[in-house]
Amino acid sequence: MTALGWDYVDVVVFTGDAFIDHPAFGAAVIARILEAEGLRVAVVPQPNWRDDLRDFRKFGEPRMFFSVSAGAMDSMVNHYTAAKRLRSDDAYSVEGKAGFRPDRATDVYCSILKKLYPCTPVVIGGIEASQRRFTHYDYWDNKLRESILVTSGADLLVYGMGEKQMQTLVRRLKKGESFSTIKDIPQTAYLGDIQSVDIELAPHEKCLESRRAEAQNFKIFETESNKYAPTAVLGQRVGDKMVICNPAYPPLTTAELDYIYDLPYTRQPHPRYKGKRIPAFDMIRYSITMHRGCFGGCSFCTISAHQGKYIASRSKESILREVRQIVSDPDFKGYISDLGGPSANMYCLTGKNLDICKKCVKPSCLHPKICPNMNTDHSKLIELYRAVRGVAGIKKATIGSGIRYDLATPQYIEEVMRYHVSGRLKVAPEHTSSIVLNLMRKPDFSNFIRFDSLFNEINRKYGLREQLIPYFISSHPGCTDADMAEMAAITKSLNFHLEQVQDFTPTPLTLSTEMYYTGLNPYTLEPVKCARTPEQKKSQRSFFFWYKPEEKRGIIQKLKEIGRSDLINKIYK
């Protein structure tokens, strides 16, 4: 501030992550967006909440507001495994060390700021705030929690990707509007007095009494979230107050997205970290995000709820500008780690007739089958890959993001395997059971079998040695030991020894989490069985590792107990 001649700042941004000035990190994007609006912006990464709170005081009281985010992950997901064990590392912290942010970071940071500066507005955002904007199940407390607006005391919640909301807010503040009167910005929520809204969800207290009410709330919430340009204001009573949630903006235009990614990021960690490693930066440093959004609608995923179902794509020119910027980095060795997005092969894919899309409320364009209105032409993406390969200084650009193999064309897969894979290609069939896959909103496993065959065929055709790495999940709602046993037998028959596996972790405001908590499918209100105890989860997980000698005895015993002795020879012949 002294060097810049500043005697005040307009906004102070608090984040639970180490600060990296790169467009893959939310705090950097918001800071640059606000800076571009002519504001004086300060960022406080990973403030110490245990000492005399000097980190919260260091920039004083901002002229406009404080901005708070837990970071790139929900802090509870960041801290705990699916078995609720404390993680020993944190990819978003210096040297990967854990312990630099509190549990429920948004609540903790806001509480401190409100005590120190009770008259200064606090705006919260990021995945933690976004996915906790209404009553939600919290796996770590094993109970329903009220909106984070209640627990944090924040004045305004920005949900989804927050650039447009923040731009609108500061432009109105600069015109002289009072923060307390600004209640109508799209894609924001606030806690207010009880009032009439377009759609009123069941109150928080009703959800505490009735799991059915919570399930019905989720269906309404997700249906509204999946609209192209929603118009309804949603409300939920909490005690004598109401959470009021404004409808979202339509998807960003290409020009709007280009503007965000063309801001003058240094693409480096803050100089305070010089000589120290931040694992997340190692992963993302030479990666490029080409688009936002995902129309896959997977039940366990937060991407469509956070970024939206509809794809917003950057222009080819903007992406190539970023490629050239990466090439100019003196440490760059010629290898881009990812040309991708939430799903790598959704770039520039939209409905053929947007008028149909604007009327659609379905959560997925790919389940139970690919929508006939969906354009699946990958030619623009292939053209972009070829343009990137043609940039001087690029030796190889790999695809690190997941690929939707049910959406991919054979021409696209061939292009990727020949030029954009470094030994391993990751895809996510997630399960083999049709019942479980249907609950996950994932394609039938027959799609993966066809893809595996095509993958092997292309390997033979070009003399490649690429390896296919499938991801699978255990303990998802609807999954049984018998389903896991079938998975073991089927994947063995395809010559896979599974490595990339995980237990289902319930995270706020996803369909899978609602099924886990309520025991109901919110769309049908039919019962869904769930593995909940550590013993049940461990039993399901063991089937992933049938090939380990120490698991064999237990698996055979379990197969006998569930009446599937017929699978013993299939797994162990």
Side-chain angles (χ1 to χ4, degrees), residues 476-495:
H476 186 275
C479 181
T480 65
D481 281 347
D483 294 322
M484 294 301 297
E486 289 275 7
M487 179 196 292
I490 291 170
T491 54
K492 185 200 173 178
S493 72
L494 294 171
N495 299 313

Side-chain angles (χ1 to χ4, degrees), residues 138-413:
D138 186 275
Y139 176 62
W140 300 273
D141 274 356
N142 190 29
K143 69 177 186 181
L144 285 188
R145 289 174 64 93
E146 60 267 71
S147 167
I148 198 169
L149 281 163
V150 176
T151 57
S152 70
D155 299 278
L156 189 69
L157 183 154
V158 168
Y159 68 90
M161 310 297 275
E163 300 95 348
K164 204 164 184 176
Q165 299 94 303
M166 297 297 264
Q167 280 179 327
T168 304
L169 175 62
V170 300
R171 288 174 184 177
R172 290 175 63 173
L173 290 172
K174 285 166 70 176
K175 287 180 180 178
E177 288 189 59
S178 169
F179 190 102
S180 62
T181 65
I182 301 175
K183 304 291 188 184
D184 58 346
I185 296 175
Q187 219 160 320
T188 63
Y190 60 94
L191 190 66
D193 294 329
I194 292 174
Q195 60 183 267
S196 176
V197 292
D198 298 314
I199 299 174
E200 185 170 343
L201 303 175
H204 173 71
E205 291 76 14
K206 176 68 173 177
C207 294
L208 292 176
E209 299 170 0
S210 168
R211 298 192 182 215
R212 186 184 182 93
E214 170 64 16
Q216 290 171 320
N217 269 5
F218 177 80
K219 180 183 176 182
I220 296 168
F221 159 77
E222 188 177 53
T223 300
E224 289 300 309
S225 297
N226 284 321
K227 291 182 177 179
Y228 184 89
T231 57
V233 176
L234 271 61
Q236 184 185 32
R237 300 182 192 222
V238 186
D240 62 352
K241 295 290 184 180
M242 178 176 271
V243 174
I244 300 159
C245 186
N246 295 319
Y249 282 107
L252 293 180
T253 65
T254 292
E256 288 172 329
L257 201 56
D258 283 356
Y259 172 79
I260 292 165
Y261 283 89
D262 287 346
L263 291 170
Y265 307 96
T266 64
R267 303 183 66 89
Q268 297 292 326
H270 191 277
R272 70 187 289 182
Y273 308 123
K274 188 174 182 180
K276 297 177 180 178
R277 177 175 170 261
I278 302 171
F281 178 61
D282 293 344
M283 293 184 283
I284 212 79
R285 183 176 187 180
Y286 299 128
S287 71
I288 293 176
T289 300
M290 302 189 300
H291 62 279
R292 286 183 183 173
C294 180
F295 51 77
C298 298
S299 300
F300 47 82
C301 184
T302 60
I303 292 171
S304 60
H306 187 63
Q307 292 194 4
K309 183 176 81 171
Y310 298 93
I311 304 301
S313 298
R314 294 169 64 187
S315 69
K316 176 182 173 182
E317 293 73 25
S318 173
I319 293 168
L320 290 177
R321 280 196 295 273
E322 188 172 359
V323 171
R324 295 186 187 101
Q325 186 181 2
I326 288 173
V327 169
S328 69
D329 184 332
D331 295 328
F332 181 62
K333 306 300 182 187
Y335 299 93
I336 289 178
S337 60
D338 187 26
L339 282 173
S343 286
N345 58 319
M346 289 187 181
Y347 177 73
C348 285
L349 297 189
T350 59
K352 298 170 187 173
N353 183 341
L354 263 185
D355 289 335
I356 294 175
C357 294
K358 289 176 181 179
K359 297 173 184 175
C360 179
V361 296
K362 292 181 178 178
S364 173
C365 304
L366 301 180
H367 181 268
K369 61 181 180 180
I370 297 174
C371 175
N373 188 47
M374 175 53 63
N375 170 24
T376 60
D377 181 6
H378 285 52
S379 59
K380 285 187 178 179
L381 184 52
I382 293 172
E383 177 187 317
L384 179 59
Y385 287 169
R386 291 173 179 172
V388 171
R389 296 203 302 268
V391 174
I394 297 295
K395 296 177 182 176
K396 189 157 193 170
T398 55
I399 310 303
S401 306
I403 285 175
R404 284 295 300 229
Y405 57 83
D406 53 328
L407 179 67
T409 63
Q411 181 191 12
Y412 171 76
I413 295 302

